[in-house]
Amino acid sequence: MPEHQQSFTTSIDAPLALCYEAIADFEAYPQWSSPVTKIAVLDRHPDGRARRVEFEVDMKLRTVRYVLEYTWHPPNRLTWKMAEGDLADIEGSYVFEADGPKRTTATCSQALSLGFWVPSIVLRPIEQTALRQSVLEFKTEAERLAAAKPAKAKKRG
């Protein structure tokens, strides 16, 4: 059972479908997610969505490797659980709720067990900021993609 559970919610100036598309683009994560140093989609569901994804993440204390297994609940939810790796356990979800045609509320919840000892004076600040930072970096990427969509449409027309 995971030891550390967190949740963070934010509003994103991007449509729900774009947010769902952006969170599924694992190959782009190293470009916008600062702790992700390497990522690989190991296999996919029959519909083409990633099923197992390998991550290398700089946790400040050390770089860890793990594989997450994803379950997709289109159009607004995905869940994951750890399949293998350097941590003891990870499970989580993203839920997207439309706040109109161009705005989405995103909630990321995650529970994890590191599986190795970290002094609480070091662990506490990481726990308090890591999930929030991850969601805010995703927000920035989704909003960047949303801003780029109208520019592409104008160039074509």
Side-chain angles (χ1 to χ4, degrees):
M1 178 102 186
E3 300 165 352
H4 309 283
Q5 298 183 18
Q6 295 182 38
S7 184
F8 182 75
T9 300
T10 192
S11 291
I12 300 174
D13 290 325
L16 185 145
L18 185 142
C19 291
Y20 203 72
E21 178 185 317
I23 204 68
D25 185 5
F26 291 102
E27 289 84 355
Y29 280 34
Q31 297 166 22
W32 59 262
S33 180
S34 59
V36 176
T37 58
K38 184 179 173 187
I39 201 160
V41 175
L42 302 178
D43 63 41
R44 296 183 180 275
H45 290 283
D47 67 0
R49 294 194 191 278
R51 186 174 78 83
R52 290 171 42 96
V53 181
E54 180 181 37
F55 291 81
E56 279 189 16
V57 177
D58 180 357
M59 293 185 65
K60 306 291 183 210
L61 310 166
R62 72 184 213 194
T63 298
V64 295
R65 179 204 156 272
Y66 53 84
V67 174
L68 298 182
E69 190 167 300
Y70 285 85
T71 304
W72 299 88
H73 309 276
N76 65 337
R77 185 169 175 262
L78 68 135
T79 59
W80 59 87
K81 63 181 179 179
M82 193 171 99
E84 63 181 80
D86 298 335
L87 303 178
D89 195 16
I90 306 171
E91 56 188 50
S93 67
Y94 248 109
V95 176
F96 300 107
E97 296 176 33
D99 291 336
K102 296 182 179 181
R103 192 168 176 88
T104 303
T105 297
T107 301
C108 181
S109 301
Q110 185 162 281
L112 68 96
S113 295
L114 294 176
F116 53 88
W117 182 81
V118 177
S120 61
I121 195 164
V122 173
L123 183 59
R124 229 174 263 124
I126 293 170
E127 285 179 339
Q128 292 170 353
T129 62
L131 182 69
R132 182 178 192 278
Q133 176 185 338
S134 172
V135 174
L136 291 176
E137 287 179 346
F138 170 72
K139 169 189 168 87
T140 299
E141 174 64 3
E143 290 177 349
R144 183 191 70 76
L145 292 171
K149 289 278 184 186
K152 288 180 182 177
K154 287 179 187 174
K155 287 180 184 177
R156 290 183 192 149

